Amino acid sequence: MSDNELGLFLRSRREAITPAEAGLPAGERRRTPGLRRSEVATLAGVSVEYLIRLEQGRDRHPSAQVLAALAGVLRLTPAQRVFLYRLVKGADMDFSCRGEVGPARTVRPTVRAVLDQLEPTAAVVVNQLSDVLAWTPGFARLAGPFGLLDGDPPNLVRYFFTDPRARATYPDWAQVADEQVAALKQGPFRADPHVAALADELTVIAGEEFTGRVATVPGLPQANGTLRLRHPSVGALRLAYETLELSADDDQRLIVYLPADEATAVALRRLREPLRLVAG
């Protein structure tokens, strides 16, 4: 299991950037994708040896200037730059006090009021452990029938890796599982004892399906996208989702699911207003 999140992220971004995107002239056909270390080092103004140390986890404290240079070369988005900064700062932070307090499981009244206003939309509040803390009735209608809310408390990542219904419900299970691991790895990850305990549990229960992703998936989940699922009552659905980070004190996020097409909108209305059978 990887403990070198900074190196993993830098390497994955280097392999995802094409020479053209980095402003380099088109050259020979390459056997491997992305940029060579030598190219990144030259463009960022660092030595190849130093870049190797960063990617291998032998140096985890690059300066702000080096981070800015690497972020520019790797064409990082603003969100990715924030994530890169947090990876470096997290190496120096002591999370022991946070570990004693435990993950936030209380949802503020104003956040619950927001959920009330979102009904009939499916929306849910989760914490860093992916515990499901609060949800709209619309989310219960959507997720309850395939068991996502069965846990005490319900937990997204545990459901995806331990409940056999998850693979039947999500046609793109592997991609969704990647996103769940990425969300779990945000922040301190194993430096937080509560997250580490959940990771240990999933390591034992799910094995390589989980540990392989921890070792290869950077902790930067998509904040929005489209999700496919097969609902046991209304069939195939396509949902557009948006993830909204709440305040740092909350350490929670609000996920809102909207119909991505008219067929899904009709299906969700059927869940909300089931047909009434009239006796003949």
Side-chain angles (χ1 to χ4, degrees):
M1 188 171 291
S2 172
D3 65 349
N4 179 25
E5 297 303 321
L6 174 62
L8 171 61
F9 180 66
L10 291 175
R11 187 170 63 254
S12 66
R13 288 305 306 159
R14 176 172 63 80
E15 293 173 351
I17 296 296
T18 66
E21 289 173 324
L24 296 173
E28 76 284 359
R29 179 174 295 179
R30 301 183 178 216
R31 295 182 180 179
T32 57
L35 298 178
R36 300 184 180 98
R37 286 193 181 102
S38 59
E39 293 169 332
V40 173
T42 298
L43 292 171
V46 300
S47 69
V48 176
E49 292 75 15
Y50 183 62
L51 183 59
I52 291 173
R53 292 204 304 273
L54 289 176
E55 290 193 357
Q56 292 180 346
R58 292 186 286 119
D59 189 321
R60 306 188 185 195
H61 304 89
S63 68
Q65 292 78 8
V66 168
L67 286 181
L70 289 172
V73 173
L74 299 176
R75 298 296 189 266
L76 300 189
T77 65
Q80 290 170 334
R81 288 171 183 256
V82 171
F83 177 69
L84 179 63
Y85 176 78
R86 288 175 176 172
L87 286 178
V88 175
K89 297 300 289 184
D92 297 323
M93 295 176 69
D94 178 7
F95 291 94
S96 58
C97 293
R98 175 178 172 175
E100 294 173 1
V101 174
R105 289 196 168 97
T106 301
V107 178
R108 288 185 290 111
T110 50
V111 176
R112 290 187 178 275
V114 170
L115 287 177
D116 291 341
Q117 293 299 313
L118 287 173
E119 175 63 22
T121 299
V124 61
V125 175
V126 300
N127 63 11
Q128 179 57 37
L129 281 179
S130 294
D131 289 333
V132 180
L133 306 177
W135 54 87
T136 62
F139 186 81
R141 290 189 296 270
L142 176 68
F146 51 81
L148 197 152
L149 295 176
D150 287 357
D152 185 22
N155 181 279
L156 295 181
V157 67
R158 184 182 286 114
Y159 171 81
F160 277 98
F161 281 98
T162 66
D163 194 312
R165 290 172 291 186
R167 292 177 184 265
T169 299
Y170 293 87
D172 305 311
W173 180 89
Q175 178 182 341
V176 177
D178 285 351
E179 289 297 305
Q180 291 301 317
V181 169
L184 187 66
K185 288 174 66 176
Q186 289 191 98
F189 190 42
R190 280 191 168 274
D192 184 319
H194 300 277
V195 179
L198 177 58
D200 288 342
E201 173 192 340
L202 294 174
T203 296
V204 174
I205 296 175
E208 176 62 23
E209 289 281 20
F210 177 73
T211 60
R213 286 178 165 83
V214 170
T216 57
V217 175
L220 190 64
Q222 296 291 329
N224 50 67
T226 302
L227 185 68
R228 295 195 302 151
L229 61 84
R230 298 188 187 97
H231 194 278
S233 299
V234 294
L237 301 174
R238 291 181 66 251
L239 298 167
Y241 66 88
E242 286 286 343
T243 305
L244 307 175
E245 297 288 342
L246 301 182
S247 75
D249 290 338
D250 293 317
D251 197 20
Q252 296 168 359
R253 58 191 187 275
L254 168 66
I255 309 172
V256 180
Y257 298 90
L258 301 167
D261 53 38
E262 182 57 30
T264 298
V266 171
L268 293 180
R269 285 197 294 272
R270 287 172 54 199
L271 284 178
R272 187 167 73 248
E273 302 168 0
L275 294 176
R276 296 180 180 178
L277 297 179
V278 179

